Amino acid sequence: MAMAKVKQNVVIKGTKEGLVFHLDDTCSFEQLLEELREKIEKSHQQILTGPVISIVVKLGMRYVSASQEQQIREILKRRGNLVVKTIESDVMLKEEALRDKLASQMRVYTRTVRSGQVIRHEGDLLLLGDINSGALVMCTGNIFVLGSLRGTAHAGCEGNKQCIIAAHEMLPTQVRIAGIINPVPDGQESEEMARMGFAYIANGRLAIEKMNQLHKIRPELGRFVI
């Protein structure tokens, strides 16, 4: 009669970068620590011996507190050659869920942003008004201005390089997407791009195009811009 296979709460797999520790997310935390200690100190000494090894710990759908995470790290540190790169959980915290929700929302402002005023928004912003010279609008997402952009607009302010800045009248003091700043064009180029233009990143630099090119350059925005 075949013996029942004992479930492992800690599974260790090798990768090109090092080792991945898959920790079961259904057993008790105490059981998890007990098996982790046993494998670190006894049964798996052979594969855990040698030069420095990078470790990724995957928790699955288990949430651990800061103190519990520290307990896992302390056990792994008992072998001096194990370096914990990350401890990853598939659980989304309430704060993370709220941040993602805010980032997916488009906020609508129906006012003019005057000189000296600053507006910051998580997600996309649709402004039904003007951004005057001396004003600053910052968003983690895209900025759409159904009016004149004469001040400073900063889209993707947390690093999203796929964002755009679009305006009915594009005469900004400065436009910035992620960490890239565009020098304000002057002369004929400025006049050509002034009406119904948008700024975006192309080949690592900011470019400005007429609005009728938006569907070609950022087709995914079709659901927001008509």
Side-chain angles (χ1 to χ4, degrees):
M1 181 176 177
M3 295 181 62
K5 188 175 181 180
V6 178
K7 180 183 177 182
Q8 296 187 67
N9 295 323
V10 178
V11 176
I12 304 173
K13 295 184 177 180
T15 68
K16 292 181 180 179
E17 291 75 28
L19 295 174
V20 179
F21 281 60
H22 295 271
L23 307 188
D24 185 78
D25 54 12
T26 59
C27 66
S28 71
F29 188 67
E30 290 71 25
Q31 288 176 310
L32 194 64
L33 294 183
E34 182 180 354
E35 185 169 324
L36 184 60
R37 288 191 197 96
E38 194 276 335
K39 290 189 172 179
I40 289 293
E41 298 174 359
K42 298 177 182 178
S43 65
H44 284 59
Q45 285 194 41
Q46 185 174 355
I47 68 169
L48 299 176
T49 300
V52 173
I53 304 173
S54 178
I55 299 293
V56 173
V57 179
K58 292 187 177 290
L59 301 171
M61 293 303 295
R62 180 189 297 273
Y63 167 76
V64 295
S65 64
S67 62
Q68 289 175 324
E69 179 177 323
Q70 187 59 33
Q71 290 180 67
I72 294 172
R73 290 181 180 275
E74 289 296 331
I75 293 173
L76 293 171
K77 282 170 60 178
R78 293 179 184 180
R79 300 205 67 85
N81 63 320
L82 300 185
V83 177
V84 180
K85 183 179 179 182
T86 59
I87 295 181
E88 303 171 358
S89 173
D90 295 331
V91 177
M92 180 176 286
L93 300 180
K94 182 179 180 181
E95 293 80 4
E96 294 172 333
L98 179 60
R99 185 168 60 247
D100 286 352
K101 181 180 179 181
L102 289 173
S104 67
Q105 294 177 340
M106 177 180 285
R107 180 75 177 270
V108 179
Y109 277 92
T110 55
R111 68 184 188 192
T112 290
V113 187
R114 304 190 183 283
S115 179
Q117 292 182 321
V118 177
I119 290 179
R120 182 183 173 98
H121 174 60
E122 300 284 336
D124 296 334
L125 176 69
L126 173 60
L127 180 68
L128 306 180
D130 300 332
I131 301 176
N132 287 348
S133 178
L136 169 62
V137 174
M138 300 176 65
C139 287
T140 59
N142 304 291
I143 298 175
F144 304 101
V145 183
L146 294 188
S148 296
L149 170 53
R150 296 178 179 273
T152 299
H154 185 182
C157 63
E158 292 185 355
N160 186 350
K161 294 182 179 181
Q162 294 302 307
C163 291
I164 70 162
I165 298 170
H168 180 75
E169 188 175 37
M170 196 78 162
L171 294 169
T173 303
Q174 183 187 94
V175 287
R176 181 172 180 173
I177 298 176
I180 300 177
I181 301 173
N182 187 52
V184 179
D186 52 20
Q188 184 177 357
E189 181 184 2
S190 178
E191 293 178 6
E192 291 176 354
M193 295 301 176
R195 298 193 63 81
M196 299 295 288
F198 71 98
Y200 68 104
I201 293 178
N203 300 319
R205 302 181 63 182
L206 273 184
I208 297 178
E209 291 285 350
K210 299 292 286 183
M211 196 70 77
N212 59 13
Q213 298 300 308
L214 180 58
H215 71 286
K216 298 178 182 178
I217 296 170
R218 290 288 189 271
E220 69 276 9
L221 293 176
R223 56 185 174 143
F224 295 121
V225 181
I226 299 176

